[in-house]
Amino acid sequence: TLVADNHAFFPIDGKGFRDEIMGHNFWFTLEMHEEFTYRGGESFTFRGDDDLWVFINGTLRMDLGGVHVELEKTLMLDDLGLNKGQVASLDIFYAERHTR
């Protein structure tokens, strides 16, 4: 199990962009591309209050995009029709945008 849960994740604080106004630089995007081997029984859980999109094998499987309160959603890999031992791609796109 890998858990990354950090409510104080602001990787470009102090890099300019007038972050002193709100205390953090809230305006950044991230993307991650990885491959994993499906073993059966796995799940991915994501939580966020900003835009988050998750693709498995190039297909959008989770859409937490838009302005909203913090949401959490779990993606059960057993429901995706993957074959045990199959290498699959995981692509995550995230945009932090602070709204008042």
Side-chain angles (χ1 to χ4, degrees):
T1 301
L2 172 65
V3 177
D5 189 3
N6 184 348
H7 288 274
F9 180 69
F10 296 97
I12 57 174
D13 274 3
K15 306 290 188 218
F17 308 107
R18 298 176 41 165
D19 47 322
E20 69 278 357
I21 294 173
M22 303 194 71
H24 291 292
N25 188 332
F26 287 97
W27 299 275
F28 63 91
T29 61
L30 297 172
E31 64 181 78
M32 182 187 99
H33 308 282
E34 187 61 61
E35 290 185 337
F36 65 94
T37 301
Y38 173 66
R39 307 267 183 233
E42 297 97 331
S43 63
F44 293 127
T45 300
F46 296 93
R47 179 177 56 234
D49 62 352
D50 291 301
D51 301 311
L52 175 74
W53 298 275
V54 179
F55 291 78
I56 305 287
N57 288 337
T59 300
L60 179 62
R61 297 297 186 168
M62 183 180 296
D63 183 348
L64 294 180
V67 177
H68 50 76
V69 297
E70 184 174 275
L71 299 174
E72 180 175 297
K73 190 170 181 181
T74 298
L75 181 61
M76 305 302 293
L77 299 186
D78 288 351
D79 297 339
L80 303 182
L82 301 172
N83 297 312
K84 289 183 180 177
Q86 175 183 351
V87 175
S89 64
L90 170 66
D91 301 294
I92 301 171
F93 300 89
Y94 173 77
E96 172 68 51
R97 54 185 175 134
H98 190 69
T99 57
R100 295 178 197 218

